[in-house]
Structure formats: structure tokens, C-alpha cells
Amino acid sequence: MNFTFSEDQILFRDSVREFLNNEVTAESLRARWDTPSGRCKELWAALAELGLTGMLVSEANGGLGMNEIDFVLLAEECGRAALPEPLVDTVLVATPVLQQAGKDDVLAAIATGQSAVAVQATEGALVADAEFSEYLILQENSAVYLVSSADATLELQESIDPGRRLYSVSWDASQANVLADGDRGVALQAKMFNLGALGAAAQLLGLSQRMIELSVNYTSERNQFGKPIGSFQAVKHHLANVAVKTEFAKAPVYRAAYSVAHNLSDAAQHVSHAKLAATEAATQAAKSGIQVHGAMGYTWEVDLQIFMKRAWALAGAWGSRGEHKARVASAVFGPERSLGAGQTFASAS
Amino acid sequence: MNFTFSEDQILFRDSVREFLNNEVTAESLRARWDTPSGRCKELWAALAELGLTGMLVSEANGGLGMNEIDFVLLAEECGRAALPEPLVDTVLVATPVLQQAGKDDVLAAIATGQSAVAVQATEGALVADAEFSEYLILQENSAVYLVSSADATLELQESIDPGRRLYSVSWDASQANVLADGDRGVALQAKMFNLGALGAAAQLLGLSQRMIELSVNYTSERNQFGKPIGSFQAVKHHLANVAVKTEFAKAPVYRAAYSVAHNLSDAAQHVSHAKLAATEAATQAAKSGIQVHGAMGYTWEVDLQIFMKRAWALAGAWGSRGEHKARVASAVFGPERSLGAGQTFASAS
Amino acid sequence: MDLKYTPQQQEFREEVRAWMQANVPSVPLKSFDTEEGFQQHREWEKTMNEGRWGMVTWPEEFGGRNLDLIQWLIFEEEYYRANAPTRVNQNGIFLLAPTLMEYGTEEQKARILPKMATGEEVWAQGWSEPNAGSDMAAMRSKAELEGEYFVINGQKTWSTRAVYADWLFGMFRTDPDSERHRGLTFILVPLDAEGITVRPIPQLDGLPGFAEIFFDNVRVHVSNRLGGDGEGWQVAMATAGFERGLMLRSPARFQETARRLVELYIENQESADQDPAIREAVLQAYMQAEAYALTTYQTACRLNQGGKIGPESSTNKIFWSELDQDMHATAMSILGARAELLPHASAAEGVGRWLDGFLFAQSGPIYAGTNEIQRNIIAERMLGMPRA
Amino acid sequence: MDLKYTPQQQEFREEVRAWMQANVPSVPLKSFDTEEGFQQHREWEKTMNEGRWGMVTWPEEFGGRNLDLIQWLIFEEEYYRANAPTRVNQNGIFLLAPTLMEYGTEEQKARILPKMATGEEVWAQGWSEPNAGSDMAAMRSKAELEGEYFVINGQKTWSTRAVYADWLFGMFRTDPDSERHRGLTFILVPLDAEGITVRPIPQLDGLPGFAEIFFDNVRVHVSNRLGGDGEGWQVAMATAGFERGLMLRSPARFQETARRLVELYIENQESADQDPAIREAVLQAYMQAEAYALTTYQTACRLNQGGKIGPESSTNKIFWSELDQDMHATAMSILGARAELLPHASAAEGVGRWLDGFLFAQSGPIYAGTNEIQRNIIAERMLGMPRA
């Protein structure tokens, strides 16, 4: 039993945080909102250079051969930075799927930074970053397909988050490359959904922390009634409450990464718990963040909006709260439930 | 359209409040907790003297011939005082039922203060104050019965609130006096339930206000860190939140009284809304009250407990939250729903 | 207590309903935070005024109908039922006008009210300053009397509607040595005056819903002073009371939102019921909107009988703003993955205007005195708790 | 990261489970706030000690097993799964003992720990005073050194378990001129010393769960000073950290409550589902209890690797106390009209001990530093917000 990250994992996380702090500033994000693609190829190349795009690609295919646990802290950083590029979907969702299907060429292209891969959460769902990505992983019935984005017709669907680029996708499954179908397809769809929801949960966790930081900074500097508004108890308690929710969302997210990486039987339940807890923390961080920012929080000028909008978007992406609660409920209320003290790590042992 | 109480109604309320303030002190309540009956015949006689027991009894039977609207403010005062005697059940529930059944003798005995009447909320439910009361109104299947309490076997069922006296009742319906059966019985049961829930709601409203007052007084006097704890924003906001909930429970309770008094088609929904809103206010007043009292709030010594316990008890009496929500839901989500602006008083007009 | 409408009230409702049916634009107007939408809304004010529906509570001499508060509530119910446009001149009609009627001279009323009624002059509010938000008494913008003119210098911010509005009302420090809430004067300022710079502030949706206003030796004739010299705080507090209280936030608005939320829930019930919090929230939304309406009727009846509105205006502010936020958050939950889509996205079917409403609802607990300030007011003035 | 138990850990779990099955009393003990119950619980401590299960994290030399925190968590899981009695000496075992091991002399350890382990000496806490609750540094009870004895005068209150306990640990002002957190000394006091009056304070359920303690020239030998003269605050803060943090509130307790809540919900599902808030609350209870367990394991692993517990102990306190309150409030909601019944009422079938738990849960957000104080700590020490 060791529920900690290794020193290496922490150091890697810290270096990625520093990189994103420098390269993905609020100014650069705003600038990208106004460009047609909204994305930055140079940044993608730099992420590849750092080994990030290929983190989960096997060493044989030019990657680092790491796993979901290694990446979860980095997904959190992607959230903290509100990174627009589809790193989380490419690394955490597409890579394991392609690995399982033996798509070595695409994997190698991911590792070099040549290709990004966009992923569809469920059949018919909008696909984030379909235009930026060279490949799409799509679904129809019980099958999962790999499609070149050039072979699909994309229509931009605008989100409240100008940093999101969502597309409806028209494509011809009969012309597409099947990654899995039948029972294996259904299993792969379930795995993709879990990976995607885990990625969203980790990002929401990072977003929540960023919004707390922005709110602490703002309220420490802004004066009213002759003192910083952050010294008022009502303001403190707003942010303390968010901090509590955020603290107790962390371990569920990390545990979900472990369960997914080890294909535990209750991984779905763990992922859903993680997504729910992180969504709750981040939406509360947005709500309290805007409140303690006062009228500033309601403006376009203040950086808080960048992270609030991402949080609102990810709250509904990769499964609504209802879908995730239904998954937890079926485990907790189901006839095979096994609850109480001592059961937390039962499926791992 | 006149959603106010008359000057006379307010003056009567004020005089009853003063009477209860003087006669039903915290000390007298504690003293009664330790007596076998827990009740005070002299106080009951005094309430009769004031015209309270006979308020809804027709003038022909020696009462004041008033209605549920006249009484609702007084039920609120009974809550505020945590009055142990079964005034609300006798006046607000039993009287209209007996009036409808033409039980002039019992009504006259209520008006003189000779008899109290205890009421069963639903078939098989425990009956509050069955021992103190000369008569019981009980239910079986679709019928409503009037039973002399001497003819029933009572077993005391202890409540967390030492001011409550609950009894399970064994009785023989075949020997009892039928007030109504068949469709009329079912209708009478529904009416009793609405009247009882309205009475509970009004008492919860009064309890909530009393708990706020006690909390304001305590926190204004108790010093920590060199100032009254009531000057801390966290303490203020706890109580302000309860005040908001309480303010917005008042009008629903008064409207429910009107709807019941006028037999409006949606009286059941209005009563349930009132009970839910008042329960929410009072349970929040208890929770925040104990919190701002600190350790004192957790003691037997402090008066707050008297009112918290009554609030916890009444929260589940005369219909659980679930039963009341189901009634509101069937109106709000049902096929005949008629919602939105301008519909609030539609059934009255 | 009598909760029936009188036949006259029923007739009045019919009359409003008929007029709204005949006159409410069938195509929704553009947002009044755009130039085009602002003009459309100005036109709508003109249309309303032609029907004498623009300022129904005003005295008849100023073009109103002298309605009592119950009639006003009925009017609002029909207005929101008809899905009529949001009032672009609400700062003027609901905030300045009652203040003007209480504190204005006859000359001021005659000069200002008719043009406000027709929408010819739309009003913006000038309370906040960069360092005086919740702490309004910290304002420093000053107005020095030179002969018959105030010379105004300083800066206002968070001025709603100011980007396209014609006039601004606000407080300025006329006694340069004064502190806090003393020495302030309530002054009306034409926004086209020389020396005024209006800098739009884009809000969450990117539209310039408010503005910063810079005053550089702006000369305003003393006839634009409302109330006496140095009495600005008292005059403004009356206005703030109106704003927080009954007048601005019609229960009808929240009842219509609750109704739409119920319909959204029922349309999506199968997926929505996967999250039991949604059904609970929809039920609470319905009951709370109803409680708000009931409470407002109760207050209106009391005021009609000569009562005064007190610190309960603060409970109103908290209640409606949190209800509005909760209802829209619940709608977002029901919409799930569709919630983030802008209304014009082709995939946004069934999404309606919930996202706009959600964004707007975020401002409710902040503007017109943050809910933290309201809670302080409730605790201190309504409950009598000790000041900090 | 490796979330599997080692075979040794699994074996250890089996060992605890077997012992608990063999030894946990089949009939629940009476409340330890009654004299009879207190003796039963003292007996249970003795039984535990005989199996060397009483103080599993203590060093072996003092009768412990020197277990690491993961083993402690496993032990607790089995303890709560077995529904074993609440620890009457928790003040001693979990609060005083770690402090003693850090600050105590060898003589003190040898004298105090073994008798604590057997339950022969049960400990009460003496922090609060009538005017020093949340503001602990305001305490005024004093201890004057006369030769080899402290002479103690003053008053403590909210002393949990003190009615039947044998000893008390607490802080006293040894420098009469000192203010706030300076000049305080940590002293151990036998409760049967001359000059001590213990006045029971009945709690919500009527039982004397705590007491006021009056000190009238109570003489205590200096060998009962823990840490140095005037260092009481520092010593006590270590204790308060233990209390708020990991040690006292085992996740197992809350996981078992969550499990019972799920079962209560399922037993009553038809009526419970009339209130959608109940299903939502039960789901949240399960997830939050799980989150608390996961977070505690994470912290335990970090501490095992030499980490320190910081202000996150305040997040723990808030989280478990509000979770406990919510779970019990939800149970009360499920029970509806039955919720108010005392467990021994004949009509209280299926009601279990929820009411007792509900009452007890009300104390969670208050004791060991109110949750308001904890939120201040989180804001100031964890988030770095400015002090008032």
C-alpha cells in the first residue's frame, strides 16, 4: 500500500507546471481565442519535445512507455493552465486505445508530435479539437473506428469557452478503419469513456486549484472598508469551503487513475466518483470565485473567466453528473454491493 | 386581494404571545418534563378562558366561530412557546372534523376547556397527547372514528422531545363512534391530514423564530477574542441565512391556512409547500443555532434544546418530507400542471 | 385575508394580456448590450409608452396609470407570461423615477420623466468607483460648484447600460474635505457632455454590459442636482432600497423561469432522473419561486395599506438572486454536454437561452450590494446583532 | 503508487478480525456517560490491553505494537466492522499519549502510560474555560509554584468524560502577569485531588457527557508538568493538531455509518424515494466517506514516508464533522415520523441508534475547535489569505 506519487512523478509534474506557466499565459490564451484554429502547432511540438505527447506510447514506438498514473498529475496541470491543445485526449484516451489496437504508425506519430488524435465520448457526441487533430476516434453502434480527420466533414459548434473547439462530425463508417467491434468494441468504448472522464476529472481538479489561487490573490490585493476583502470572514469561508471540496477530490481522482491503469473491476465507479467530486469542486470554485471577485469576476478582463468557462464546459463533458451518479448508484445500491470499512481497496488486493 | 392579517388578528396574536411568554416559561417547561403527565390542566383551563380552545367552535356551541386563518398566527405562537398542551391539534384539526360530523357535545366541551381531543395523523400512527385528551380521533381503513380515550389502551412512546407525549393506541373500531366512512371518510382523513400538517408548519415557523432570537441573544452577550461572537461575520451569516429561510416560509404557511379554510382544490399542495418550507427553516435554525451557541448549544442547560427538539420532532410529524414532496411533485409535474406567472392565486379566484 | 382578485383586477389582467398579445414582438429582440439591440429596445419602450404601459405605477400626469402594487404585480405577470423584452430603461423607470418623485423639483420631473417614459432618454447608474464597490461611502469622484455649474472630475465604474445610454445619475463628493457618507451630492449627468469618456467593459459573454466613465472637468448645471447639497447619501439610499427591494425584481420573472425549468426537466426526464439532485432542485425551484411571489404579494398588500419596506428588502435580494442562480445551474445540469453550446450552434437544439441566463444569473449575488453585504444588513438591522 | 495491501497487511487484518470476533461483547455496552457504562468501557479497555490491542501505534515498550499508520487504519477498519465499543480513554490514548511521548520525561512515560493502557486511569481534557472557548488563549486558571507543588485555582469547562475520569490534562497560567498564549504550562492533575469539584454538565441527551471543574487551591506535584514552564501552548498545539487531524477520527467510523445509511435507505426505499434529496444524500454520503478514507490513506502514506501533517488537519475536521451531521440528518429524514423515538420505545422498530448518533453528530462541528475557527485556519494558513 503506497498511495503517494514518486519523487520523479512530482518532479516531472513540477517541471510541466513551470513550462505551462511560462508558455500558456492568460495573454496567450486570449490571443488564441481570436485565431481561426485556436491552437498552436509550435506549442504542440514543444509538448512533444518534452515527451508529453508520447508519454503513454510504448518505448518501441518512440514514447516513454508510462501509464495513466504517471499522466494524471499532468492532466491536472493541463486543467490548471486551461491548455487548449488536445493533450489529455490524445495521451490519456487515444493512446491506450491505439495501443490496444496495435496502431504503431499512429502511435509513433503521436510520440513525435506529428499527429494529435481527437476522441468522441459516445456515439454522435461532439468531438473536441477534431480540426486540429490528424485522426479521430469515432463510434458507431458497438464499433470503434479510426478516421483521418480529412475524411470527415466537420462543423464548428461554438462553446461558451472560447478555448474549446467542438465539432459535429459527419463520416462514413463503411470507409473507416475498425479498431474493435462486437463485445470488444463495447469494452473499448467503455474504456475510452472511463479514460476520458478521468482526464476531465483531473483537469477539473487543476482548474479548481487555479481558481482558488486567482481568488486568493485578488482578495488579498483588493481593498474595501480600509482592508483587503480577503480579511473578511465571509470571503475567507467561501474559499475555505472550496479548498475543502478540492482537497477531498484529489484522492478520488488519483485512485481512479490507479484503477483504470490496473483495469480494476470497479474502475467505472471510481472514475465516476472522481468526475463527480472534481466537478463539484470546480463548479463551486467558479461560483465562489466570481462571488469574491465581485463585479470584476463578471468581466471579460479578469482571468478568472478563462478557468470558469473551462470548468463549466468540462462539467458536462465525458458524462453528465446524472450518468456518473447512475454508475455509482448501481454499485452502491446494487445487489452485489460490498460497502463499509475495509472495502475501499478490496478490488485492488 | 388582501394578503394581510387584520389589526384584530394581530392584536389577538400579540396578546396570546404575551400570555404564553408569561405562562409557558422555559422553567415551567422543564418542570413539566419531569411530571408523569407532562401537562398542566390549569394552563388548559386558562387557554379556554382566553377563548383559545373554542376558537373554531361555532358560537352556537359556545365557541368564537373563527376559522383556520384566524388561528394560524396562534399556532405559530404555540410553536414559539413550545407549548406542550395539545391546543393546535384540538383547535385546528379536531374542531373542524367534529364540526363537520355535528358532534355538538364534544365541541361544547372543547370550548369550555372541559375536553381536549387528540388526533391520529394516519392509520396506525402514534397519537400525541392521547392520555391528556378526553377524546381521540382515530382512523381505520376509510373511516374516521371518535373514541373516548378511556376506551383505548395507550402505551407511552418516548420522544427525544420530553415535551412530547406520544402513544401507541389499541382500540376496537367496532365499538367506536364513526364520524365518517367510505368516500366521505377518505375525504375527512385527507382534510385532517392537511389541517394537522398546517398546524405543524405554523408551529415550526414559530420555533424557527424563537431559535433565531435565542441565538441572537446568546451571541450578542457571549464574548470571545475580546468582542461579542455575534459581531463575527461567520456567526452573522449563519443567522442571516436562517432569517431568509424563515421569512420566505411565512407567506406559504399563511396561504396554506387560507387554502384550507376555503377548501381550495390545491390546498393539499399548498399545505405541503408550507410544511416543507417551515421544516427547512426550523431544522436550519436548529443546526445554525447549536453551531453559534458552541458547546453551550450541546447542553441540557441552555433553552435552545427545548425548541430544537420540538423542531426535530415536528419535522417528521404529520407527513415526512417525502410525503409532502410527493404531493407537490404530483401537482408540479402532473399532466394538469398550470405553472408560471399569474397562476399563484388562480384556484382562489 | 382575501386571496381572490377583484373583478376589476381580473379585467385589468385581461386588458394587459390583450395588449401584450397584440404588441410583443414575435421575434426576440437582440441583446440590448449591442448597439442594434439597444435601439430595438428603445423602440419597444416607445411602443409601450404609446399604450401607456411603460411606467404603470407612475402618476397619470407623467404618463403613467397610477396603479397600485397589486396591479403592478398583475401587469408584471402578464408581461413575463408574454415573454416581452427586458426593460432597457429599468435604471430610469424603477430606480431614478421613484427617487425623482420623492426628491425632485417640479421642473426636474417635467423635464426628465416624459423623455424617460418614451425611451428618448435612457439612464445609466453611477454608483461604484474603482475603490468604492461594496464600500460605496469610499467614493472620491468630486463635483465642485463654480457659479451655476458643477465641475466634475473622477471616475465611475460598473455603470450598467452606460455604453449606449443618454444620461447617468450618481453621487459625487461636493465637499472636498468630507469623509465617508457625508458631503456627497446626487447629480444627473448627460453622457454626451464634454469631458466624459465612456470605456465599455465587456462582461462574461463578451458584450459591453457595463462601462467605466471618466470625468475630466465635466460641467453640469446645478439644475441637475437631485435633493440638497451634501444629501446625496440619503437620496441614494432610498434608491438602493428600491433596487434591492420590491420594485426591480418581479416575482413573475422567476416564476416563468421556474416554469421553463419544469418543462425542461419533463422533456429530459429520463436522463435527468439519473441525478436525483435535479428532481429535488426543480421541485425547490418551483416552491421557492412560488414563495417569492407569495411574499411579494404580502409585502405589496402591506405597502398598499401604508406600510414601509424595511431590511426585508435584503432578504429579497438574497432569495431571488440565489434562486435564479440555482435554477440556471440546474438547467445546465439537465442539459449535460449540451449546456456549454452557444444558442446559435446548430447542435444546440433544445438548449434555448439557458446559457445566457446562467451567465446573467452569476451577477445577481454581486450587483446592487453583494449578498455578503445583504447578510450583514439582515444580521445587524433586522436581527439586531452587534456590529463588527 | 500501489494500492494493494501487502500479504503481511492482509494477515494482520485477519488477525485483528479474528480477535475482534472472539472478544467484542455481543450485547452493546451502556453509554459511557453513565456510571455503569463507564465501568463496562473501562473493562473493555482492560480486555483490549490483554490482547495488546489497546494502543496499537504505541511503542512495544509501553505495551503497544509499534504499528505504522496503514496498520492502524486496518486495525480501525476491523474495529468498526466488528462494531466494537467506543474508546472511553480516547483523550488519553490518542491525544495525551502522543504528546507525552514527544514531551514527557522517562519517569512520566513509565508512570502514566501503562495505567492508561489498562484503562486503570482514564483521562479527561481540560482546555476550555468559561471565557476561553474558541479563544483558548484567553484562559485564566492559574497554577502558582510553591516549592515542589503547583497550587491551582480556577475553572475549566467542557471537560469530556471528566465526570467519571481519573485524571485531567490541561493548561494553566503559571506566569500571573502573562497574556494570551504566553506563560501557560501543561499540567496533569489527578481528579481526586483535594480542592477539586466536578460539576457534571448534562448534554442534549440528558447524560453528563462533560463537566465543569473547579480548582480551589489544588496542590499538584511538579512531576506532573509536561514540557517546560511556560511552554504549555506549544505542547498543547501539538495535541490539538493530533485531535483535529488524523488520529482521532478514523475513516472506518464514517464508512460504517455510510454503509448503515445505505442499508437503511434500501430497507425504506419506497417511502425514501418520495424525497429525491434522500437518494442524493445517500449517494453523497457513500462517496464522501470513501473520499475521506482515500484521503486519509494518502496522508498516512505520506506521514509514513516522513511527511508532516499541516493545516489540512483543518480540512479533515470540517469534512468528517459535516459528513457525520449530514448522514445522520439523512437517516432522520428516512425515518420520518419514527425519527423522534428513543431507541427503547416499543414503536421504535427499525430505528436503531440513529437518534443517538444524530445528537452526537451535532457536537462534531463544535468541539476540537469550531468549524468557523477551522475555516479561518484554512484560509489563513493553507491559502495564505490576510488575517483580519
Side-chain angles (χ1 to χ4, degrees), chain A residues 159-160 164 222 309 325, chain C residues 130 135 204 275 340 346 372:
Chain A
S159 162
I160 178 62
R164 300 257 291 171
R222 164 85 175 158
K309 288 174 175 173
K325 282 183 189 169
Chain C
D135 184 12
L204 274 185
D275 180 357
E340 65 173 300
S346 66
E372 286 71 33

Side-chain angles (χ1 to χ4, degrees), chain A residues 2-242:
Chain A
N2 178 16
F3 200 165
T4 61
F5 291 96
S6 69
E7 222 167 292
D8 283 352
Q9 287 167 325
I10 299 288
L11 286 173
F12 197 10
R13 192 266 316 266
D14 291 348
S15 70
V16 169
R17 181 181 297 182
E18 201 188 329
F19 174 82
L20 294 174
N21 259 344
N22 295 331
E23 302 299 321
V24 188
T25 59
E27 296 72 47
S28 77
L29 289 170
R30 287 167 188 281
R32 254 180 301 158
W33 284 0
D34 294 330
T35 65
S37 84
R39 300 292 175 264
C40 176
K41 286 280 180 198
E42 293 71 30
L43 179 64
W44 189 258
L47 294 167
E49 190 67 30
L50 286 172
L52 288 175
T53 60
M55 258 191 82
L56 268 61
V57 172
S58 66
E59 294 182 46
N61 283 323
L64 299 180
M66 293 179 161
N67 71 11
E68 290 85 347
I69 303 169
D70 297 301
F71 188 71
V72 69
L73 289 178
L74 309 186
E76 198 176 327
E77 295 306 315
C78 294
R80 183 191 286 271
L83 179 72
E85 282 67 27
L87 187 69
V88 175
D89 285 357
T90 297
V91 177
L92 191 61
V93 192
T95 303
V97 168
L98 295 166
Q99 205 98 24
Q100 191 167 320
K103 293 284 164 191
D104 292 346
D105 52 337
V106 182
L107 290 162
I110 288 175
T112 61
Q114 203 186 317
S115 299
V117 184
V119 194
Q120 190 172 42
T122 52
E123 181 172 347
L126 301 182
V127 178
D129 287 303
E131 191 160 333
F132 176 81
S133 303
E134 283 69 18
Y135 296 98
L136 313 176
I137 296 179
L138 303 174
Q139 313 193 20
E140 199 175 278
N141 298 322
S142 61
V144 178
Y145 298 87
L146 181 66
V147 179
S148 163
S149 55
D151 295 338
T153 308
L154 306 178
E155 184 191 355
L156 183 66
Q157 302 285 347
E158 271 187 87
S159 162
I160 178 62
D161 176 5
R164 300 257 291 171
R165 296 293 154 112
L166 295 172
Y167 299 84
S168 47
V169 181
S170 313
W171 57 295
D172 182 354
S174 67
Q175 302 293 313
N177 201 330
V178 178
L179 293 179
D181 56 9
D183 287 351
R184 289 188 51 247
V186 172
L188 194 59
Q189 288 173 346
K191 181 171 180 164
M192 276 169 59
F193 185 81
N194 283 340
L195 289 164
L198 171 63
Q203 289 178 79
L204 285 160
L205 197 53
L207 284 160
S208 180
Q209 293 168 74
R210 180 69 172 266
M211 287 187 275
I212 293 172
E213 285 167 21
L214 290 170
S215 300
V216 168
N217 291 344
Y218 179 78
T219 59
S220 299
E221 283 161 20
R222 164 85 175 158
N223 284 288
Q224 289 283 276
F225 304 102
K227 51 187 181 177
I229 59 175
S231 65
F232 286 95
Q233 212 178 16
V235 173
K236 281 184 181 160
H237 288 199
H238 270 311
L239 297 181
N241 286 335
V242 179

Side-chain angles (χ1 to χ4, degrees), chain C residues 95-136:
Chain C
L95 302 183
L96 178 58
T99 314
L100 203 54
M101 290 178 207
E102 196 169 340
Y103 293 95
T105 63
E106 292 310 310
E107 182 274 329
Q108 287 173 327
K109 292 184 209 172
R111 173 160 59 91
I112 295 165
L113 291 172
K115 288 182 180 169
M116 185 191 292
T118 57
E120 193 180 332
E121 289 179 354
V122 176
W123 287 81
Q125 207 186 77
W127 294 149
S128 299
E129 297 184 7
N131 290 308
S134 286
D135 184 12
M136 213 161 85

